[in-house]
Amino acid sequence: MRPPSELTFRAVALGLLIGCLLCFTNLYFGLQTGWISMMSLQSSLLGYLISLLIPSVSPLTPQENVILQTTAVATGTMPLAAGFVGIIPALGLLDRAKDGMDPIHVLWWDGVWWCCAVAFFGVFLAAPLRKQVIIKEQLAFPSGTATAQLISVLHKIPPPAAARPGLRHRNGHTGSEDGYQAVRTVEAGGDIDEDAEDPGETDQKREEIVRAGWTTLGWSFAASGSMTLAAYFFPVIFAIPLLGDYLASKWLWTFSPSLSYVGQGIIMGFPTTVSMNLGMLVGWGVLSPLSKKAGWAPGDVGSMTDGARGWILWVALAVMCAESVVSLIPVVLELLRVLRANRDGHPEEDLETETEDRLVPMKWVLWGTGGSVVFGTIIVWYVFGSEGIKPWATVLGFGMGAVLSLLGVRALGETDLNPVSGLGKISQLVFAIVQPGNIVANIIAGGVAEAGAQQAGDLMQDLKTGHLLHASPRAQFHGQLIGSVLSIFVTTTAYSLYKRAYPIPGPNFPAPTAYVWLSLARLLRDGQLPAYSGTFMLAFGILGLSVSSLKTWAGLQGKWWAKWVPSGVAFAIGFLNTPAFSIARLMGGIVEFWWRKRTGGNRSANITLIVIASGFVLGEGIVSVVGLVLRTFGIGVASCWGCAEGVCPSC
């Protein structure tokens, strides 16, 4: 059987290249802040620009671009799907005295095997869901729709029907650690020409596109990379004691003018960064000093065990779980409605637009799902042993992953939010009953469920893009598998290099979500909370339920102000990270808001903004590898001048 025409070598190769860059970048930022980016919009844009530099008989087609970004996303998001920004560091924090087990430090080969165990289950789950949620119910999947719209603009074809001006869709967040990643919808405005397709585009025009795109990307990449390299030798650049040495050293109030954080703020958008900074002000400006002064957190403020940072973590966990519960309620109700309609035998029109040879055969799904469960169970048993998690419990974990993935995919399609963190926590709750007292089993089971939901959600967003642009679902399925296979080795190698050069968790890479996983597992075993944290968890949990309910209702009703209701997850991320990580992102959000107001939704200006943000993010993520090499060879900082005591992780 011949492969679909869009599954070309150049599309897959470019997707793998971009995906590897994103993999290093996402691991770097994920270990720092717990927030990673799906980067589907950026992958499409970068792939298009690179393709224009490659001499070929014909330019990259829109369908090839779909395959390119599908492959790139699969490769770039493995650090989250396989738990290298949360699950794996959490296992390294185990303590014999507290947990009854020594820390589990995953070696390179063990990491590869673990990735193999969880990398494909969600991919096979997504394929049969496509017909229900994309074809029959036509769920929005706003980020997938936005990517399709961007590709149509880049390739000068009429915009997809579901993305044309005047049709309502919602902005929001998609799965990131600890749960969510923001992707702003590309607002093309009214200047998209229905007859924009121009097969006779001149070479001069193509050269202008390449020159403008690469110039913008090059300057933004160079600026961010140069600042990153300078900050390696002079750490104060990323740890400015903006409010004085006392607040910096004792209360961790510093400012990091990282252009990559600014770029992430642009991608997140102004409403999300405002929510994050609101959480920062409440967590670090109110609750942190309150818990310290009241004696509830007697240790150093930055301690995750007995300090204020560890104390406010519990409040953040309550907010995240509250929003996850609220986001799932309408999804469950809608799922029950659909099941009831199917049971009553209501006829449904078959709206499938693809032929059988372009769809994923059901026998592939059955064999792939069954094989990934059996193979994954054996691998998990091999890596962690029966003392870690029983084989039957791993099978149960995969089963829960299938159910939770269904909920996650529907939530993503309706709200652009995949509550993977909350879904993982649900699995932890169940395994507190199934294997009580076993910390390792609790964390691993949550990781299996989260991986399935993450992979299924990523592919479903991509399938929505492909459906709007008439790309082959089978070709996208192949691209996802190819990207996942390569990323197994890239992710594990990158983590091993960082682990060899830096302590993880540690000052440079605090891996905040690792503490979330471990803390919940310990709570479910011991039932003990830090002093008075339970009271604040209850209060903020109720507040989170109320605000999230309002946001969910407003979003479903299409209210224009829904995006301005604070995001619970972004609010909680402001608690988990020190102020240095949030302030720069707010600057990016302000830039995004000002830019869009100033340009009035002009499509060329919006694409330029995406290019700038991409250069900022990739610049620090890629150049950080240079710092990794320098540290490996024993080349340290040049000067610690200006650093507040105990603030600089390198001094």
Side-chain angles (χ1 to χ4, degrees):
M1 182 179 297
R2 296 180 60 186
S5 59
E6 55 260 52
L7 188 67
T8 61
F9 174 80
R10 62 179 178 177
V12 174
L14 287 175
L16 292 176
L17 173 62
I18 295 171
C20 287
L21 299 179
L22 296 180
C23 186
F24 270 89
T25 301
N26 276 333
L27 181 63
Y28 175 78
F29 291 117
L31 289 173
Q32 280 191 342
T33 69
W35 190 291
I36 78 164
S37 297
M38 185 176 171
M39 301 288 277
S40 55
L41 289 168
Q42 289 74 12
S43 298
S44 299
L45 180 57
L46 289 174
Y48 176 77
L49 291 176
I50 295 174
S51 71
L52 294 181
L53 298 175
I54 301 174
S56 59
V57 177
S58 59
L60 195 73
T61 67
Q63 290 72 33
E64 285 181 294
N65 202 331
V66 172
I67 304 304
L68 185 155
Q69 66 91 26
T70 300
T71 306
V73 169
T75 310
T77 56
M78 186 62 73
L80 171 60
F84 280 90
V85 299
I87 301 295
I88 301 302
L91 294 175
L93 290 170
L94 293 172
D95 183 271
R96 169 64 66 175
K98 293 182 179 180
D99 307 311
M101 294 192 69
D102 293 323
I104 299 177
H105 299 292
V106 177
L107 302 178
W108 187 85
W109 267 113
D110 290 335
V112 168
W113 284 119
W114 162 251
C115 284
C116 291
V118 299
F120 307 110
F121 178 65
V123 179
F124 287 105
L125 285 177
L129 294 178
R130 172 186 170 274
K131 186 171 184 178
Q132 179 63 39
V133 300
I134 293 180
I135 305 301
K136 290 184 178 180
E137 299 180 48
Q138 301 183 43
L139 298 186
F141 289 99
S143 293
T145 300
T147 304
Q149 185 175 2
L150 174 64
I151 293 175
S152 72
V153 171
L154 293 174
H155 294 269
K156 297 185 180 300
I157 61 175
R164 294 183 183 180
L167 294 184
R168 178 172 60 87
H169 55 269
R170 292 179 291 272
N171 296 335
H173 326 291
T174 54
S176 79
E177 178 83 351
D178 216 333
Y180 306 87
Q181 169 255 351
V183 178
R184 295 289 293 170
T185 302
V186 179
E187 299 291 349
D191 62 347
I192 291 182
D193 186 357
E194 293 288 341
D195 301 318
E197 187 174 5
D198 183 12
E201 183 180 24
T202 65
D203 292 339
Q204 181 181 358
K205 181 64 175 178
R206 287 166 57 82
E207 290 176 2
E208 290 175 0
I209 294 174
V210 175
R211 190 181 306 113
W214 280 111
T215 299
T216 305
L217 183 66
W219 278 110
S220 57
F221 183 98
S224 180
S226 299
M227 180 176 284
T228 303
L229 194 59
Y232 179 84
F233 292 108
F234 302 96
V236 69
I237 294 176
F238 278 179
I240 299 175
L242 195 63
L243 302 178
D245 288 352
Y246 175 76
L247 287 179
S249 60
K250 299 300 182 182
W251 298 99
L252 307 184
W253 276 85
T254 62
F255 171 57
S256 176
S258 162
L259 291 179
S260 66
Y261 294 165
V262 174
Q264 289 180 338
I266 292 173
I267 296 171
M268 292 174 182
F270 183 58
T272 301
T273 57
V274 169
S275 296
M276 182 181 292
N277 278 265
L278 181 62
M280 175 200 72
L281 291 174
V282 174
W284 292 93
V286 178
L287 297 184
S288 173
L290 175 63
S291 63
K292 177 69 173 179
K293 295 298 184 181
W296 305 333
D300 292 336
V301 171
S303 173
M304 296 294 287
T305 54
D306 61 352
R309 187 173 190 179
W311 193 90
I312 64 176
L313 177 149
W314 291 101
V315 182
L317 180 61
V319 174
M320 286 191 293
C321 290
E323 175 152 312
S324 297
V325 170
V326 171
S327 67
L328 288 177
I329 290 175
V331 174
V332 172
L333 293 178
E334 178 62 18
L335 178 60
L336 293 176
R337 186 197 66 79
V338 172
L339 292 176
R340 188 180 301 112
N342 291 338
R343 183 197 62 188
D344 294 341
H346 291 168
E348 292 183 326
E349 182 183 358
D350 188 1
L351 301 175
E352 181 59 74
T353 58
E354 300 290 348
T355 56
E356 286 296 328
D357 62 312
R358 289 166 58 84
L359 297 173
V360 180
M362 185 55 63
K363 64 179 181 181
W364 291 13
V365 173
L366 296 176
W367 280 101
T369 303
S372 60
V373 170
V374 173
F375 188 56
T377 300
I378 295 173
I379 291 176
V380 170
W381 174 79
Y382 169 77
V383 174
F384 298 105
S386 295
E387 292 184 1
I389 182 171
K390 303 292 184 183
W392 61 265
T394 303
V395 174
L396 178 59
F398 278 113
M400 286 196 61
V403 176
L404 297 177
S405 294
L406 176 60
L407 297 178
V409 164
R410 295 191 64 86
L412 185 63
E414 294 178 359
T415 67
D416 211 25
L417 183 150
N418 189 351
V420 291
S421 175
L423 297 175
K425 303 301 180 286
I426 292 174
S427 186
Q428 283 189 277
L429 291 171
V430 172
F431 271 79
I433 301 173
V434 174
Q435 278 198 270
N438 192 323
I439 296 288
V440 175
N442 192 280
I443 294 174
I444 293 174
V448 169
E450 184 182 61
Q454 176 66 34
Q455 293 275 23
D458 286 349
L459 182 54
M460 199 60 66
Q461 285 278 27
D462 296 334
L463 288 172
K464 178 67 174 185
T465 304
H467 173 66
L468 293 174
L469 295 175
H470 307 292
S472 164
R474 183 178 298 193
Q476 290 186 262
F477 179 76
H478 287 149
Q480 178 86 12
L481 290 179
I482 293 170
S484 296
V485 169
L486 178 62
S487 192
I488 288 172
F489 301 96
V490 175
T491 301
T492 308
T493 300
Y495 183 80
S496 298
L497 292 174
Y498 280 118
K499 183 72 174 177
R500 184 178 302 174
Y502 301 95
I504 299 177
N508 292 85
F509 298 103
T513 53
Y515 292 95
V516 175
W517 284 98
L518 183 58
S519 296
L520 180 58
R522 286 173 173 170
L523 173 64
L524 294 173
R525 185 195 62 181
D526 302 328
Q528 295 180 350
L529 288 168
Y532 288 92
S533 62
T535 302
F536 283 85
M537 288 178 69
L538 179 61
F540 276 83
I542 294 174
L543 178 64
L545 284 171
S546 303
V547 175
S548 297
S549 298
L550 176 62
K551 187 176 182 68
T552 300
W553 175 84
L556 293 175
Q557 296 297 317
K559 303 295 184 181
W560 66 268
W561 47 265
K563 67 179 180 179
W564 296 108
V565 179
S567 161
V569 172
F571 181 82
I573 291 291
F575 280 56
L576 296 181
N577 295 312
T578 58
F581 295 107
S582 299
I583 298 174
R585 285 177 170 82
L586 178 60
M587 294 173 60
I590 294 173
V591 169
E592 182 267 346
F593 181 77
W594 169 80
W595 184 284
R596 293 184 186 278
K597 286 292 184 182
R598 179 176 178 272
T599 60
N602 178 269
R603 66 182 184 185
S604 298
N606 290 341
I607 291 175
T608 300
L609 184 64
I610 295 175
V611 173
I612 294 172
S614 301
F616 283 166
V617 173
L618 292 174
E620 181 169 333
I622 301 305
V623 174
S624 67
V625 179
V626 177
L628 178 65
V629 174
L630 293 175
R631 189 175 183 91
T632 302
F633 284 96
I635 302 175
V637 301
S639 173
C640 284
W641 177 87
C643 292
E645 181 183 356
V647 171
C648 174
S650 302
C651 297

